[in-house]
Amino acid sequence: MTTMESLIGLVNRIQRACTVLGDYGGGDDTFSSLWEALPSVAVVGGQSSGKSSVLESIVGRDFLPRGSGIVTRRPLVLQLHKTEEGSQEYAEFLHLPSRKFTDFSLVRQEIQDETDRVTGKNKQISPIPIHLSIYSPNVVNLTLIDLPGLTKVAVEGQPESVVQDIEMMVRSYVEKPNCVILAISPANQDIATSDAIKLSRDVDPTGERTFGVLTKLDLMDKGTNALDVLEGRSYRLQHPWVGIVNRSQADINKNLDMIAARRKEREYFATSPDYGHLVSKMGSEYLAKLLSQHLESVIRARIPSITSLINKSIDELESEMDHLGRPIASDAGAQLYTILELCRAFDRIFKEHLDGGRPGGDRIYNVFDNQLPAALRKLPFDRHLSIQNVRRVVSQADGYQPHLIAPEQGYRRLIEGSLNYFRGPAEASVDAVHFVLKELVRKSIAETQELKRFPSVQAEIAAAANEALERFREESKKCTIRLVDMEASYLTVDFFRKLPQEIEKTGNVNTAAAATAASIEDRYSEGHFRRIASNVSSYIGLVGDTLRNTIPKAVVYCQVREAKHSLLNHFYIQIGKKEGKQLSQLLDEDPALMERRMQCAKRLELYKAARDEIDSVSWAR
């Protein structure tokens, strides 16, 4: 195979791979960009201009539907792949990838059936292309796009917009700068009325991308010819016009094969008094070679940009493969290692949240700095130490024997009752921190990219982490309640010893004795109970300041510190006991991610092969 054939064949294979991978016409942006960077040939012409016959002449096979009106109602992306001499010809449809067609009459029927499946049988059109590949030793490497014929009026069963719809569809292909326009015009009509030439002049005013093809030369009136067009005097293009002689309807009816039709075409030009001097530049075989040569020059000019796009795509795909992760090994040891690595990745992100590398850990400090003090301030000490309640508690504590000097039992009961209120804020602090830690676990799992591959591992880690947090919460509650209970179990004696000393500081011994006597006399007065309430309140305030500092210490030690250092310890023990089958079930990936990785691997393989082939062809120049 020549360098030119290799180069065009490479482009053909890349385009084919793009369509197989589902990227042409609405898939991955990079692949769509690659498709559009590669040149292809769009066949444009009015109805009954001979488009189908030109395509069949290039292919050398009779395979396209025929009939009156709009026969081509969907774009047909036709990719020709040149094979070794003597190999069997066959065709493949993208929508039937496992089936090879060797009978080309069945290819024609499948095109018709596939068209009807999308558009129905009522002459509707659709922009969804049919992809057909033909492998033959008798073709040149080309990608041809057969488009619906341009028309001026809608026929019965078609909407009035069909004329504009077809033109917009054709324009969507031919407006692309890398599209070569094959403008088909019948020789037995004035070139000035050619729909194909009119459209190509709009999108390619310089004619750099347009190849003019004149069909039906043998059907012109006797005494007339198309030399003015073919020699570029009527309408000049930058590329030479090519004349084609299609099979006649009689030839089609007789099932004249394309090899015989090509021979008959060559004989027509060789023996024609009008076109004999152009015989070397006429006919479908010459047209195929001309297009192939032009595509080679276009491809060569675009090799640097194509290579750059491919290299960029390879980098992006390799990055995505790293992001998606490589396939999982089958042995149990490697699977266990993978699960442990996933746990470490999660644990690292969780610690970053706690330590401030990521947001969220500061909410724990907010519990201690704002929520706990606010809860302590709202405790109902005013109600508990009201005069009425103090009188009731002290009276009940005295029993039948009134207290002599100070109501110690009354003090103890009032203090114990007050200290019980601290349980609520202590437990609330534990629960608030627990809620923050659970939320950080959820966020950390969501932010661990490696875990997205494995929903089962993700769920197991979440369950194990939340189970551990529950254990830490229970331990933290026990610890904080124990702090409150310790304050109730042993009162700070020095605080109460200072109370009578304060009296002594105000005067001499006689004064103190007088004060003591007075206190005995008014032990049932309101002032007496108010002093008790004030003393208890002062002591409770002292204890509250202590608990405000010690409760956060207990919560951090029992919950935050444990979560940071041993959140998944129990999970590690459990996972180490699992067998290979259980580990495989845990590493059952999300099917969507598996499919995405497979697609990425295919694309990466395609791009690397394309880069290597382009490099080899470039060096061969």
Side-chain angles (χ1 to χ4, degrees):
M1 188 178 290
T2 66
T3 301
M4 177 184 74
E5 289 171 331
S6 298
L7 192 58
I8 300 174
L10 167 64
V11 170
N12 234 8
R13 289 192 295 277
I14 295 175
Q15 288 176 324
R16 173 68 176 171
C18 286
T19 58
V20 169
L21 292 173
D23 292 293
Y24 179 68
D28 185 272
D29 289 341
T30 305
F31 264 72
S32 298
S33 299
L34 178 59
W35 175 281
E36 293 183 9
L38 302 173
S40 57
V41 181
V43 185
V44 180
Q47 286 185 34
S48 303
S49 61
K51 288 192 304 90
S52 296
S53 294
V54 171
L55 283 171
E56 289 180 335
S57 295
I58 292 174
V59 175
R61 280 290 188 172
D62 187 357
F63 69 98
L64 292 172
R66 293 180 177 276
S68 59
I70 301 178
V71 177
T72 303
R73 292 183 284 126
R74 290 175 60 185
L76 175 67
V77 179
L78 175 62
Q79 292 179 306
L80 306 181
H81 304 264
K82 186 174 180 61
T83 58
E84 297 295 329
E85 288 295 331
S87 59
Q88 186 182 28
E89 293 180 291
Y90 66 93
E92 283 183 342
F93 287 94
L94 182 62
H95 63 274
L96 297 172
S98 59
R99 182 178 175 186
K100 291 184 178 180
F101 291 79
T102 55
D103 184 345
F104 281 79
S105 65
L106 296 179
V107 173
R108 180 192 305 112
Q109 186 60 50
E110 181 58 31
I111 293 173
Q112 184 64 57
D113 292 344
E114 178 62 15
T115 299
D116 291 343
R117 273 193 283 272
V118 173
T119 65
K121 298 184 179 182
N122 57 355
K123 302 298 183 182
Q124 297 292 322
I125 65 167
S126 170
I128 302 173
I130 298 172
H131 293 274
L132 171 64
S133 289
I134 294 179
Y135 300 82
S136 170
N138 304 317
V139 299
V140 294
N141 288 308
L142 278 178
T143 295
L144 300 160
I145 304 172
D146 185 22
L147 297 166
L150 298 165
T151 184
K152 292 182 173 60
V153 293
V155 299
E156 186 177 354
Q158 292 179 329
E160 289 298 324
S161 64
V162 71
V163 177
Q164 289 76 26
D165 293 342
I166 292 176
E167 183 172 341
M168 288 176 62
M169 185 194 305
V170 173
R171 281 181 179 272
S172 69
Y173 285 88
V174 299
E175 285 177 342
K176 295 172 183 175
N178 289 325
C179 178
V180 176
I181 304 168
L182 196 61
I184 310 294
S185 302
N188 56 356
Q189 294 181 13
D190 190 343
I191 195 67
T193 65
S194 169
D195 295 316
I197 292 298
K198 179 178 180 297
L199 183 62
S200 66
R201 186 163 47 193
D202 286 346
V203 299
D204 179 33
T206 62
E208 293 179 0
R209 299 188 287 118
T210 302
F211 283 80
V213 177
L214 211 57
T215 61
K216 303 185 180 182
L217 292 170
D218 55 331
L219 299 183
M220 295 185 71
D221 293 336
K222 289 184 179 182
T224 62
N225 60 51
L227 286 177
D228 284 347
V229 176
L230 293 175
E231 293 178 345
R233 291 188 292 274
S234 290
Y235 185 78
R236 188 170 187 82
L237 295 171
Q238 294 201 22
H239 303 287
W241 283 82
V242 179
I244 298 288
V245 175
N246 302 327
R247 289 183 300 167
S248 66
Q249 189 60 47
D251 292 335
I252 295 171
N253 293 339
K254 293 176 184 177
N255 292 323
L256 181 71
D257 64 60
M258 296 306 301
I259 295 176
R262 283 179 175 179
R263 185 172 59 251
K264 187 175 179 181
E265 182 185 45
R266 287 194 298 270
E267 291 173 355
Y268 173 84
F269 286 112
T271 60
S272 170
D274 294 321
Y275 311 118
H277 64 293
L278 298 174
V279 64
S280 63
K281 297 182 179 181
M282 295 289 118
S284 54
E285 290 177 290
Y286 172 75
L287 175 62
K289 292 177 182 177
L290 181 66
L291 291 173
S292 185
Q293 290 170 352
H294 178 71
L295 286 180
E296 182 201 10
S297 64
V298 172
I299 292 168
R300 287 195 184 282
R302 284 170 171 73
I303 278 180
S305 61
I306 292 172
T307 302
S308 175
L309 180 58
I310 288 176
N311 287 332
K312 175 176 176 288
S313 302
I314 288 174
D315 291 341
E316 290 175 352
L317 285 170
E318 286 184 333
S319 175
E320 183 169 4
M321 285 294 287
D322 290 338
H323 176 72
L324 293 173
R326 304 293 171 174
I328 302 302
S330 57
D331 62 288
Q335 291 174 345
L336 178 60
Y337 177 79
T338 298
I339 293 174
L340 294 178
E341 283 295 297
L342 294 171
C343 293
R344 292 187 191 102
F346 156 76
D347 197 49
R348 183 179 63 255
I349 292 176
F350 181 70
K351 287 177 180 176
E352 287 176 3
H353 279 293
L354 289 178
D355 293 335
R358 295 172 186 251
D362 56 311
R363 293 171 58 194
I364 295 175
Y365 175 72
N366 182 63
V367 172
F368 303 142
D369 194 51
N370 293 310
Q371 295 182 36
L372 175 60
L376 293 175
R377 286 194 297 271
K378 292 179 181 178
L379 292 177
F381 293 129
D382 291 344
R383 185 173 69 250
H384 183 67
L385 297 177
S386 65
I387 300 302
Q388 294 81 1
N389 194 55
V390 170
R391 179 185 287 112
R392 180 182 62 78
V393 171
V394 169
S395 299
Q396 290 175 354
D398 282 347
Y400 74 92
Q401 176 67 58
H403 60 270
L404 299 177
I405 299 176
E408 180 173 336
Q409 290 301 320
Y411 267 103
R412 289 186 178 276
R413 291 190 183 183
L414 285 169
I415 291 171
E416 288 174 359
S418 298
L419 291 178
N420 279 333
Y421 287 115
F422 285 114
R423 287 172 171 261
E427 292 185 337
S429 298
V430 171
D431 289 337
V433 170
H434 176 75
F435 178 80
V436 173
L437 291 173
K438 282 188 68 174
E439 180 63 17
L440 293 182
V441 165
R442 186 193 65 78
K443 288 181 67 176
S444 299
I445 288 176
E447 292 171 11
T448 306
Q449 295 298 326
E450 298 89 334
L451 279 177
K452 293 182 178 179
R453 291 177 60 186
F454 308 107
S456 297
V457 177
Q458 190 179 113
E460 289 286 333
I461 290 178
N466 287 326
E467 183 181 336
L469 291 180
E470 288 291 341
R471 291 197 302 272
F472 302 154
R473 174 165 71 168
E474 292 305 312
E475 188 61 32
S476 185
K477 279 191 178 181
K478 291 178 183 177
C479 186
T480 53
I481 295 302
R482 192 175 291 122
L483 288 176
V484 176
D485 291 344
M486 285 191 295
E487 292 291 345
S489 65
Y490 187 82
L491 305 183
T492 305
V493 191
D494 289 346
F495 176 85
F496 296 98
R497 283 175 178 170
K498 292 177 182 178
L499 295 179
Q501 292 173 4
E502 293 298 326
I503 300 174
E504 291 173 5
K505 288 179 183 178
T506 60
N508 55 30
V509 175
N510 293 330
T511 306
T516 302
S519 67
I520 295 173
E521 292 176 0
D522 69 354
R523 64 174 176 262
Y524 294 115
S525 68
E526 184 174 315
H528 175 64
F529 293 119
R530 185 174 290 109
R531 282 193 299 275
I532 294 174
S534 176
N535 293 337
V536 171
S537 179
S538 297
Y539 182 76
I540 293 302
L542 178 69
V543 173
D545 290 339
T546 301
L547 291 176
R548 178 176 174 177
N549 293 322
T550 55
I551 287 175
K553 294 178 185 293
V555 171
V556 169
Y557 183 82
C558 295
Q559 287 177 270
V560 182
R561 178 179 172 277
E562 286 298 305
K564 186 175 179 180
H565 295 294
S566 59
L567 183 63
L568 295 180
N569 281 5
H570 184 68
F571 179 70
Y572 292 144
I573 295 171
Q574 296 300 112
I575 206 70
K577 297 177 182 178
K578 293 186 180 293
E579 298 179 354
K581 185 177 180 181
Q582 294 171 309
L583 295 175
S584 297
Q585 291 173 345
L586 274 180
L587 292 173
D588 184 18
E589 291 187 84
D590 183 344
L593 284 175
M594 292 176 66
E595 176 65 21
R596 182 64 184 170
R597 185 193 298 108
M598 184 175 67
Q599 291 292 325
C600 282
K602 286 182 179 179
R603 292 169 182 172
L604 192 56
E605 181 182 1
L606 162 69
Y607 275 133
K608 288 182 176 179
R611 180 180 61 186
D612 293 343
E613 278 201 72
I614 287 177
D615 287 345
S616 65
V617 172
S618 299
W619 280 106
R621 284 191 287 175

